[in-house]
Amino acid sequence: MSSELWVLVSLLAVLVTAMAVAAAVVAVRLFRARRLLRDAGVPENKKIIFWGALLYLVSPVDLVPDPVYLDDIGILLLALRSLHKAAADAGVPRAAPDR
């Protein structure tokens, strides 16, 4: 294998790993937000957004092929934003930041 090809494959592996880590971090934040909303009086249709985002994350049908997680990360971020807005509307206090 030539050195140029090896560098290209290595960079691609680093990029894919970084995107997978970012998707995992966003998914963890989404689970924490869902835990806060479990019994907080948030409407069910807002809670369904959580399950839809996770279903899209594991779905084999994507807007962008799975080695590129940008669409998955975007969907998870939109779900997280929607859940936080619903929590604020329902009067749920914000969680303390992790340290």
Side-chain angles (χ1 to χ4, degrees):
M1 186 181 309
S2 71
S3 63
E4 293 87 15
L5 183 59
W6 178 251
V7 169
L8 181 63
V9 168
S10 298
L11 288 175
L12 184 61
V14 167
L15 180 65
V16 167
T17 302
M19 286 189 289
V21 167
V25 167
V26 171
V28 166
R29 288 183 66 194
L30 198 59
F31 272 108
R32 286 182 183 158
R34 181 188 171 272
R35 191 174 348 131
L36 286 174
L37 297 173
R38 187 171 295 149
D39 294 320
V42 175
E44 280 299 317
N45 62 346
K46 298 295 185 183
K47 291 179 184 178
I48 290 174
I49 292 171
F50 166 78
W51 294 110
L54 288 181
L55 181 64
Y56 183 80
L57 180 68
V58 298
S59 171
V61 179
D62 278 343
L63 295 174
V64 180
D66 261 341
V68 180
Y69 293 109
L70 293 178
D71 62 326
D72 297 319
I73 293 168
I75 295 294
L76 288 173
L77 285 173
L78 287 173
L80 184 62
R81 180 184 225 178
S82 175
L83 287 174
H84 278 286
K85 183 177 179 336
D89 293 344
V92 177
R94 283 187 66 107
D98 293 335
R99 294 192 187 246

